[in-house]
């Protein structure tokens, strides 16, 4: 089985930075066969896709966070990070790490076709 564990959430002031990490474990898991992604869900809002990195290393970021958030991975330790800069109060949400075998992330909330989900880490941005 595959387990995803997020960390790095917390309280920051607007304009600040935070780095989230997701560690994947499981005998069958590999970045070579899975696409990784970061999502978030704010209170009263639908879960949204923020960024993803394919098994081939290609990255993509949602328009809402493009230029501020950056996804990266470290295959040596099965870790996927989300570097968040210039944080805004609107970024306050629970942030989730997810994985899907293959390279397909469907545009259908709330699960987006993902196979595995972490439990989430809360990010709160104060004004």
């Amino acid at each position: 089985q595959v387990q995803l564990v997020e960390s790095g959430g917390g309280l920051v002031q607007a304009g600040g930075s935070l780095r989230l990490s997701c560690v994947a474990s499981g005998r069958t898991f590999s970045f070579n066969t899975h696409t990784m992604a970061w999502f978030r869900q704010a209170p009263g809002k639908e879960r949204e896709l923020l960024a993803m990195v394919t098994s081939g290393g290609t990255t993509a970021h949602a328009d809402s966070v493009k230029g501020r958030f950056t996804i990266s991975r470290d295959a040596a330790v099965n870790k996927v990070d989300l570097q968040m800069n210039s944080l805004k109060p609107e970024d306050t949400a629970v942030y989730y790490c997810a994985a899907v075998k293959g390279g397909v992330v469907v545009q259908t909330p709330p699960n987006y076709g993902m196979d595995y989900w972490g439990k989430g880490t809360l990010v709160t941005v104060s004004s």
Side-chain angles (χ1 to χ4, degrees):
Q1 311 303 321
V2 175
Q3 183 179 25
L4 305 175
V5 180
E6 305 100 332
S7 63
L11 174 64
V12 298
Q13 291 187 316
S17 298
L18 207 60
R19 189 177 185 89
L20 306 182
S21 294
C22 171
V23 176
S25 62
R27 187 171 180 177
T28 61
F29 178 82
S30 173
F31 283 149
N32 293 330
T33 56
H34 289 75
T35 287
M36 306 297 297
W38 281 98
F39 299 81
R40 72 182 178 189
Q41 186 167 23
K45 295 185 178 180
E46 198 169 56
R47 184 153 59 192
E48 62 175 325
L49 173 64
L50 300 176
M52 57 187 293
V53 54
T54 70
S55 59
T58 300
T59 62
H61 300 79
D63 289 340
S64 61
V65 300
K66 192 175 299 181
R68 298 190 299 121
F69 292 8
T70 303
I71 190 171
S72 62
R73 67 179 187 179
D74 183 353
V77 292
N78 280 351
K79 184 166 70 75
V80 177
D81 287 357
L82 185 69
Q83 178 65 47
M84 306 185 295
N85 299 323
S86 301
L87 285 163
K88 307 173 182 178
E90 308 91 85
D91 295 320
T92 296
V94 176
Y95 285 70
Y96 298 91
C97 174
V100 59
K101 187 176 182 180
V104 179
V105 178
V106 299
Q107 299 301 311
T108 306
N111 294 328
Y112 293 86
M114 307 303 289
D115 294 325
Y116 308 99
W117 291 85
K119 294 182 179 180
T121 184
L122 177 63
V123 173
T124 302
V125 184
S126 62
S127 60

